[in-house]
Amino acid sequence: MNRRDLLAVGTVAALAGCLGYEVVDEETVADRRVRIAELEATVEARDERIADLEREVERLRRRLSGPRINAVSVVESWERTGDVVVRRVDDVAAGDPLAVAVSFTYPIRGDSGTGRVDVGLAVTVTDADGQRVARNERSVQLFLDTDATLAELPVRFGEPGLSPGRYAATARVTDRVTSLEAESDAVAFRVR
């Protein structure tokens, strides 16, 4: 082998080595870019999950700091706490006055512990088609025992004039200070 051939082979080998390293470097850089993109997507998905969880925690915190409805029922009459269960009826006679009892729990705020709360209470009556046929609202200022924050109030409808048929009552309790509110599920009853 002459000197010229030896230089040519050496030059090709040197160039191949350099090119090989360069190809390896480009592959490593491409792998790193892919891995960085995957990590960025993972971090972004985690941040979205954290934001969703923070919104859910805030929703639950607001729900716990507002009133919570325990029970709603049509009652034959209402005199005291507990009648929402004791005097519950499934049907009323046409033309009779309608009374809906609402039992709710109300958180006491502040260090004073007075138990004074301002509540808005509304009951809506709908027919079988979901059309509103009656609504009654009242505002009440209560003084609750700070150890037992349970309250129960009636909403009375004088002469609702309900025809025989199926109806549903839905209650809403609103904290007049914070505007937090709770709404019950519809309670079905029948007018005979």
Side-chain angles (χ1 to χ4, degrees), residues 138-158:
R138 62 187 284 199
S139 293
V140 181
Q141 188 176 80
L142 300 171
F143 290 91
L144 299 175
D145 181 355
T146 55
D147 294 327
T149 58
L150 178 70
E152 183 174 314
L153 297 170
V155 175
R156 293 182 174 92
F157 295 84

Side-chain angles (χ1 to χ4, degrees), residues 1-8:
M1 193 179 235
N2 65 19
R3 186 172 181 200
R4 187 182 219 186
D5 290 338
L6 185 60
L7 283 174

Side-chain angles (χ1 to χ4, degrees), residues 62 65-67 106-107 109 116-120 140-141 174-181:
R62 286 181 57 83
S65 63
Y106 198 96
R109 288 180 198 77
R116 179 179 169 261
V117 294
D118 294 318
V119 178
V140 181
Q141 188 176 80
T174 305
D175 180 333
R176 294 278 186 204
V177 176
T178 64
S179 297
L180 295 174
E181 59 186 21

Side-chain angles (χ1 to χ4, degrees), residues 33-166:
R33 286 184 182 152
V34 167
R35 182 69 182 138
I36 288 171
E38 289 172 349
L39 289 172
E40 287 174 345
T42 302
V43 167
E44 187 175 322
R46 184 203 66 190
D47 289 345
E48 287 176 16
R49 280 195 328 261
I50 289 172
D52 288 344
L53 289 173
E54 287 173 345
R55 282 190 292 273
E56 180 66 12
V57 165
E58 181 59 28
R59 185 188 71 77
L60 291 172
R61 188 173 286 135
R62 286 181 57 83
R63 182 175 167 210
L64 288 175
S65 63
R68 288 175 301 229
I69 297 176
N70 303 315
V72 175
S73 64
V74 174
V75 292
E76 61 187 53
S77 64
W78 189 89
E79 295 175 14
R80 63 180 167 271
T81 300
D83 284 351
V84 71
V85 175
V86 175
R87 296 179 182 240
R88 178 181 181 272
V89 295
D90 292 327
D91 57 355
V92 294
D96 282 356
L98 179 66
V100 178
V102 181
S103 171
F104 59 95
T105 306
Y106 198 96
I108 303 298
R109 288 180 198 77
D111 298 330
S112 65
T114 62
R116 179 179 169 261
V117 294
D118 294 318
V119 178
L121 182 61
V123 173
T124 304
V125 177
T126 56
D127 62 14
D129 296 327
Q131 299 296 318
R132 184 171 85 179
V133 294
R135 179 175 171 86
N136 198 352
E137 296 182 45
R138 62 187 284 199
S139 293
V140 181
Q141 188 176 80
L142 300 171
F143 290 91
L144 299 175
D145 181 355
T146 55
D147 294 327
T149 58
L150 178 70
E152 183 174 314
L153 297 170
V155 175
R156 293 182 174 92
F157 295 84
E159 291 294 331
L162 296 177
S163 310
R166 298 202 170 275

